[in-house]
Amino acid sequence: TQLLEQSPQFLSIQEGENLTVYCNSSSVFSSLQWYRQEPGEGPVLLVTVVTGGEVKKLKRLTFQFGDARKDSSLHITAAQTGDTGLYLCAGARSHNTDKLIFGTGTRLQVFP
Amino acid sequence: DSGVTQTPKHLITATGQRVTLRCSPRSGDLSVYWYQQSLDQGLQFLIQYYNGEERAKGNILERFSAQQFPDLHSELNLSSLELGDSALYFCASSPQDSGTDTQYFGPGTRLTVL
């Protein structure tokens, strides 16, 4: 059973378009992290959200944590080719639990 | 560069063999995590060590074991290898042992079992 489902699985868009990636669960998470992974490299942390309803912005990326802390979204405005990669959400279910549960991943390809 | 190093980068071996993957965490980080990433399973947590002690266990097979040494580097041992063990193996480290800590990932070891 996959606790964190991401959608879409694959996304192929033109440079300049906007997109949203979703991360959904039936479980409550104390915090949720978003990572980006490029081919041949390890995931790199983009953001951590910890409060229900929290919105964080990182340049053209906007992250939102759902009010019930069961879901999250990542919105990219005016995508660039450098945004290409695998986007992973990961949740921790309690502050004392060290096991991060990773989502199924969204593979984004941005074409020039 | 995350500061986490993993060796080797690539490993090709045969079924039934045993291999050891090595990880050096970022300077000062006490926690080390091991993950397996395959195409059909995504990124799966295997095991975590904190300051030399096993802290949490995930979907780690009995054929796999790990340890963290006094200098905090860690090794993941995979034995009786099967074709299905072919995957990317990542090590990550974090300063402490909180689930909200940032985990810094190494570049991974690509294991191919033939």
Side-chain angles (χ1 to χ4, degrees):
Chain A
T1 304
Q2 185 63 45
L3 286 177
L4 275 170
E5 295 284 345
Q6 285 185 239
S7 61
Q9 241 184 315
F10 300 96
L11 196 49
S12 183
I13 60 172
Q14 294 285 139
E15 214 170 17
E17 290 184 32
N18 301 332
L19 66 115
T20 302
V21 176
Y22 299 93
C23 174
N24 295 301
S25 175
S26 55
S27 299
V28 175
F29 291 93
S30 62
S31 69
L32 204 131
Q33 302 179 353
W34 282 93
Y35 290 80
R36 184 171 77 207
Q37 183 180 12
E38 298 188 24
E41 297 180 16
V44 175
L45 181 70
L46 297 173
V47 79
T48 300
V49 285
V50 296
T51 307
E54 182 177 3
V55 176
K56 276 193 175 175
K57 290 194 177 216
L58 189 66
K59 295 183 182 176
R60 295 173 295 100
L61 277 60
T62 302
F63 305 85
Q64 184 160 10
F65 202 10
D67 291 340
R69 289 184 289 127
K70 292 182 179 181
D71 54 83
S72 179
S73 64
L74 156 60
H75 182 80
I76 301 180
T77 304
Q80 299 176 356
T81 54
D83 296 327
T84 293
L86 177 67
Y87 288 82
L88 296 160
C89 63
R93 284 197 283 183
S94 82
H95 288 291
N96 296 322
T97 300
D98 308 295
K99 176 183 156 183
L100 265 187
I101 299 167
F102 277 83
T104 48
T106 294
R107 195 165 294 279
L108 172 65
Q109 177 77 53
V110 182
F111 290 96
Chain B
D1 183 359
S2 66
V4 177
T5 59
Q6 286 186 251
T7 55
K9 186 128 178 88
H10 299 277
L11 199 47
I12 301 174
T13 188
T15 54
Q17 294 298 304
R18 173 191 170 95
V19 297
T20 298
L21 312 184
R22 195 178 192 278
C23 168
S24 292
R26 289 188 328 149
S27 176
D29 283 359
L30 298 177
S31 275
V32 169
Y33 310 78
W34 285 98
Y35 292 88
Q36 179 192 58
Q37 187 176 40
S38 55
L39 282 173
D40 57 345
Q41 290 290 321
L43 201 63
Q44 300 287 322
F45 168 73
L46 295 177
I47 197 165
Q48 181 217 352
Y49 278 81
Y50 172 72
N51 205 20
E53 302 285 328
E54 183 184 302
R55 182 75 173 83
K57 228 169 182 175
N59 303 317
I60 188 165
L61 298 171
E62 284 190 14
R63 302 184 283 110
F64 297 0
S65 64
Q67 53 185 326
Q68 187 178 28
F69 295 87
D71 67 352
L72 301 176
H73 91 270
S74 178
E75 291 181 356
L76 179 67
N77 301 294
L78 314 177
S79 61
S80 302
L81 285 167
E82 302 174 359
L83 294 177
D85 298 327
S86 295
L88 270 167
Y89 290 84
F90 287 103
C91 160
S93 74
S94 69
Q96 297 294 330
D97 62 350
S98 166
T100 56
D101 272 353
T102 298
Q103 292 189 20
Y104 297 88
F105 282 79
T109 293
R110 182 175 292 279
L111 173 65
T112 302
V113 182
L114 300 175

